[in-house]
Amino acid sequence: GAVVSQHPSWVICKSGTSVKIECRSLDFQATTMFWYRQFPKQSLMLMATSNEGSKATYEQGVEKDKFLINHASLTLSTLTVTSAHPEDSSFYICSASKVVKETQYFGPGTRLLVL
Amino acid sequence: SQELEQSPQSLIVQEGKNLTINCTSSKTLYGLYWYKQKYGEGLIFLMMLQKGGEEKSHEKITAKLDEKKQQSSLHITASQPSHAGIYLCGAENAGNNRKLIWGLGTSLAVNP
């Protein structure tokens, strides 16, 4: 149990377009989902925390208008990178936890390349 | 703010050898997680430690949290090529019980 999927796994887009990444908990209900960004050879950087039915909490330095997060149900959260630029190219990983203080289970990640 | 330091940064071992990876915190750890990441993939949960002196094992991997709850070690016995990857430790932030702070990771290569 505790499987998290992400879609797409790879996306290449032109500069200025928007990209939506989905994160789904397949066999459990996730009260909280986290979105991370990871640059090559670096650790995970938390971007935002989203709770079902409420607004996401963004980390300092993360533009909420650029990285739109929607947690519409207990099994789905989406991250939309608006007006993407080459510097947004990165590896985006989501995680989900069942209840407060529960272990985070990670998706396989989405690699975004903005040309 | 709390920081996690992992050592070594990278490690190359011969198949069959034992190895240890350390994760040291500047503050008391309230929950310490070990994950494994293969290059360009998501993270696989390995173990979670909470109590001082706690030790958990899964197959050939053993993780310990010291009594002072400021250092954890991950030990792999008789390493195999399948153990290769990046090992990340994450810790619950004492000020917020939902977010994890992360070490920079230890890259492990196992030569057959």
Side-chain angles (χ1 to χ4, degrees), chain A residues 40-55:
Chain A
K41 297 187 179 180
Q42 293 189 25
S43 192
L44 301 171
M45 184 193 82
L46 180 64
M47 298 175 67
T49 303
S50 77
N51 294 294
E52 185 265 340
S54 60
K55 290 183 180 180

Side-chain angles (χ1 to χ4, degrees), chain A residues 23-25 30-35 48-50 71 75-77 95-96:
Chain A
C23 177
R24 293 181 185 272
S25 55
T31 54
T32 304
M33 287 185 171
F34 303 83
W35 286 97
T49 303
S50 77
H71 194 156
T75 58
L76 174 64
S77 176
S95 71

Side-chain angles (χ1 to χ4, degrees), chain A residues 13-19 66 81-86 88 112 114-115:
Chain A
C13 68
K14 292 182 179 179
S15 184
T17 60
S18 294
V19 176
K66 180 165 186 63
V81 182
T82 62
S83 187
H85 290 285
D88 297 325
L112 170 64
V114 185
L115 301 175

Side-chain angles (χ1 to χ4, degrees), chain B residues 8-77:
Chain B
Q9 286 187 336
S10 64
L11 194 55
I12 303 173
V13 300
Q14 202 66 30
E15 183 177 0
K17 296 293 186 184
N18 302 336
L19 62 107
T20 300
I21 298 168
N22 293 304
C23 177
T24 304
S25 171
S26 56
K27 297 183 181 179
T28 300
L29 294 163
Y30 289 92
L32 190 286
Y33 296 77
W34 282 103
Y35 287 86
K36 178 186 173 184
Q37 183 180 29
K38 294 213 165 185
Y39 298 101
E41 297 183 14
L43 277 67
I44 300 168
F45 170 70
L46 296 175
M47 275 167 279
M48 187 263 194
L49 305 165
Q50 277 189 306
K51 301 175 184 177
E54 187 174 8
E55 179 176 322
K56 288 185 179 178
S57 293
H58 176 68
E59 297 180 345
K60 295 184 177 179
I61 301 175
T62 300
K64 300 178 186 179
L65 182 61
D66 73 345
E67 290 289 345
K68 292 184 179 179
K69 295 172 64 176
Q70 283 194 264
Q71 184 174 54
S72 178
S73 61
L74 185 83
H75 185 77
I76 299 177
T77 304

Side-chain angles (χ1 to χ4, degrees), chain B residues 57-112:
Chain B
S57 293
H58 176 68
E59 297 180 345
K60 295 184 177 179
I61 301 175
T62 300
K64 300 178 186 179
L65 182 61
D66 73 345
E67 290 289 345
K68 292 184 179 179
K69 295 172 64 176
Q70 283 194 264
Q71 184 174 54
S72 178
S73 61
L74 185 83
H75 185 77
I76 299 177
T77 304
S79 59
Q80 299 171 350
S82 60
H83 287 128
I86 301 171
Y87 289 82
L88 287 158
C89 65
E92 290 177 7
N93 187 320
N96 183 324
N97 62 10
R98 299 317 311 278
K99 296 191 291 187
L100 294 180
I101 58 169
W102 296 91
L104 290 178
T106 295
S107 177
L108 171 65
V110 180
N111 290 331

